[in-house]
Amino acid sequence: KILDYAKLSIGLVILSSGIPFIHAGQELLRTKKMIDNSYNLNDDVNGIDWYRDLNMVDSVKSLIRIRKQYLEFRLSDLSEIDKKIKLDTSFDLPIIRIKTINGDTLQLIISNSYETYTKFLVPGSVLIYDGSTETSKYIDKLIINKPGVYIIKKWGNKNASLRRSNC
């Protein structure tokens, strides 16, 4: 369960406006052996275990690629952010709607629980991030049953002819 919550939190950091700050070892779930004040302790506590099996390296790489692909995750002007990014509270979970430069809409659905939610979508919706990794699946509904950030792309009218060729 900790891994699911860690992916949720790193997803929020990477996809938020501004410059994301990822602390050294965060993608490896660096624990510091549960010592909260370790500034004066040795490498046994503060060192990074590069070979730890439980990690989020692939998830972090996917989120960084998505952030680079969509300019809207890197906006710095407040008026642009206000124009393109809106919070939608019409569903049981918070949804952030982002209007892309080419007229498509991205929906970030944020879940912080293990309850099951079903989101019905318009035809042609594409799941591009499933809470753990990049994907490219056409879906008509999304079942969410664990914490995470889920990203759905809805094609704009001018991109309708590209739908099947790009996924």
Side-chain angles (χ1 to χ4, degrees):
K1 286 187 175 188
I2 288 184
L3 183 61
D4 293 332
Y5 285 110
K7 286 179 182 178
L8 167 63
S9 63
I10 196 91
L12 293 174
V13 169
I14 292 173
L15 298 175
S16 293
S17 296
I19 299 170
F21 180 80
I22 302 169
H23 193 270
Q26 188 172 345
E27 72 281 10
L28 299 169
L29 298 169
R30 184 171 157 199
T31 67
K32 293 187 167 206
K33 299 190 172 52
M34 305 308 286
I35 300 170
D36 62 352
N37 190 7
S38 66
Y39 78 96
N40 62 349
L41 298 177
N42 61 22
D43 286 347
D44 183 49
V45 172
N46 286 312
I48 296 173
D49 181 358
W50 297 101
Y51 304 104
R52 186 170 184 192
D53 289 335
L54 183 64
N55 67 61
M56 304 183 302
V57 172
D58 292 334
S59 295
V60 170
K61 286 179 181 179
S62 292
L63 288 164
I64 290 171
R65 277 192 299 273
I66 291 169
R67 182 181 171 91
K68 285 181 176 182
Q69 181 179 357
Y70 295 98
L71 166 72
E72 292 75 17
F73 289 118
R74 302 184 315 273
L75 296 174
S76 58
D77 181 72
L78 184 58
S79 64
E80 283 295 306
I81 292 169
D82 283 344
K83 253 194 289 187
K84 294 185 179 280
I85 300 174
K86 302 290 180 206
L87 179 63
D88 179 352
T89 58
S90 64
F91 182 55
D92 293 333
L93 297 172
I95 298 175
I96 299 171
R97 295 188 188 279
I98 301 170
K99 194 62 128 176
T100 66
I101 202 163
N102 61 2
D104 299 334
T105 300
L106 298 177
Q107 290 185 15
L108 274 70
I109 301 175
I110 302 163
S111 172
N112 68 350
S113 77
Y114 286 94
E115 292 182 42
T116 299
Y117 299 93
T118 301
K119 172 77 172 144
F120 292 95
L121 306 161
V122 298
S125 297
V126 180
L127 180 65
I128 62 173
Y129 188 76
D130 66 5
S132 292
T133 190
E134 281 177 286
T135 183
S136 187
K137 293 186 230 172
Y138 281 93
I139 57 172
D140 58 359
K141 70 178 176 180
L142 177 63
I143 297 172
I144 300 169
N145 57 12
K146 66 179 188 175
V149 176
Y150 302 82
I151 306 174
I152 299 163
K153 182 177 186 175
K154 292 183 177 185
W155 295 88
N157 290 337
K158 67 182 180 178
N159 292 322
S161 62
L162 299 174
R163 285 182 185 160
R164 294 284 175 197
S165 62
N166 281 353
C167 285

